[in-house]
Amino acid sequence: MGRLDNKIALITGGNSGIGEATAKLFAKEGATVVITARREAELQRVCDEIRAEGGICDYVPGDIRVTAEVDNVAAKTVETYGRIDILVNNAGIPDRHMPAVKLTDELAEDVINTDLLGVIRMCRAVLPHMEAAGKGSIVNISSIGGVYACAGASYSAAKAGVLALTKNLAIQYFARGIRVNSVSPGSTDTPLFNPAMLEAADKEMIEITAQHHLYNYDHMLSPMEQAYAILFLASDEASGINGENLTVDYGGRL
């Protein structure tokens, strides 16, 4: 307990899955947590559950695909709490394992706009505040799809972009006291892996990628297992780690 005492943490996609688990864990570790996502009712639910356990939580609804809404989330957080010490870029959507030849422009654009450009927008909004404070920790959530290209075409490309962005920002800001790292989850029991999503996924592409990476949908990792990895990189315990990616997939490439 207390690993994030007196920290202000902003978490995107904090209303479900890995983002929700991270928000609850951060609050237990002493952080004041601000969560953002599109579904306000779910944001309220998560905040209520955190407060019921004695944590401090607030929410600002926002769509990371919309620059004005991203800027509002950052501005409201700073207006209320004075700073942002930690940013976790967790929000994202899947592309149903669509191979390039089956990928529509609409799906590709939505995935890239959310999973990559959304991260860029949020970093762009938060970094000036961290720079002014002379410190900060950003944890971007990529995927094994970004590391091993074992997902759909647009998702793999977007998540690989997140890895490159992480290293680029680490280079830019390390001398200003800001660390930027990433976590790449493997198969995790979240809404992104619900039965409806798996049913809509391209089966041939799943079979192809499974030859190169171990998928175990019967024994997936829990959101909290991912949250603990995020906590470590966000905390001062990882003060010497910058520009790195931590793959959390239970050894799927061993």
Side-chain angles (χ1 to χ4, degrees):
M1 302 290 287
R3 296 164 73 183
L4 298 180
D5 280 351
N6 303 313
K7 301 287 189 182
I8 310 299
L10 174 58
I11 302 170
T12 71
N15 60 353
S16 66
I18 294 171
E20 177 180 346
T22 300
K24 290 178 176 179
L25 181 60
F26 277 25
K28 286 182 179 179
E29 292 292 341
T32 294
V33 177
V34 179
I35 57 177
T36 184
R38 289 178 286 176
R39 294 176 294 153
E40 186 168 356
E42 288 301 296
L43 290 170
Q44 182 68 64
R45 175 189 61 80
V46 174
C47 275
D48 287 345
E49 291 176 3
I50 289 173
R51 291 166 183 163
E53 294 293 323
I56 303 173
C57 184
D58 199 355
Y59 71 85
V60 183
D63 186 342
I64 62 170
R65 298 172 300 180
V66 181
T67 296
E69 295 189 23
V70 168
D71 291 344
N72 179 64
V73 169
K76 288 288 188 182
T77 302
V78 173
E79 178 184 329
T80 303
Y81 297 105
R83 65 187 192 278
I84 299 171
D85 299 306
I86 298 167
L87 169 63
V88 178
N89 280 306
N90 165 75
I93 61 173
D95 71 352
R96 305 192 297 276
H97 260 75
M98 285 299 137
V101 294
K102 296 181 181 179
L103 187 64
T104 64
D105 286 352
E106 291 77 15
L107 179 57
E109 288 167 2
D110 197 22
V111 170
I112 292 170
N113 193 16
T114 304
D115 294 359
L116 177 56
L117 295 181
V119 178
I120 293 174
R121 291 186 189 97
M122 191 57 71
C123 288
R124 186 175 62 197
V126 169
L127 277 166
H129 300 291
M130 289 184 170
E131 188 173 9
K135 60 181 180 178
S137 177
I138 296 175
V139 182
N140 296 323
I141 308 307
S142 181
S143 166
I144 57 170
V147 177
Y148 304 124
C150 58
S154 61
Y155 188 83
S156 293
K159 291 300 188 177
V162 170
L163 296 177
L165 174 67
T166 296
K167 290 185 178 295
N168 181 268
L169 293 177
I171 291 169
Q172 289 185 58
Y173 287 94
F174 82 96
R176 304 174 199 181
I178 301 169
R179 298 185 299 109
V180 188
N181 293 291
S182 60
V183 170
S184 290
S187 302
T188 304
D189 188 11
T190 73
L192 294 186
F193 280 94
N194 62 35
M197 189 286 293
L198 292 174
E199 181 61 30
D202 186 87
K203 305 302 187 295
E204 182 180 5
M205 188 66 175
I206 288 180
E207 290 179 4
I208 291 170
T209 57
Q211 297 174 28
H212 301 277
H213 194 279
L214 174 63
Y215 289 96
N216 192 338
Y217 294 123
D218 294 324
H219 300 282
M220 290 191 287
L221 291 159
S222 72
M224 193 57 72
E225 287 176 297
Q226 304 295 344
Y228 273 109
I230 297 166
L231 169 64
F232 169 64
L233 289 177
S235 74
D236 292 339
E237 295 169 5
S239 60
I241 301 175
N242 196 19
E244 296 297 331
N245 177 65
L246 179 56
T247 300
V248 184
D249 68 344
Y250 205 65
R253 290 278 288 194
L254 295 178

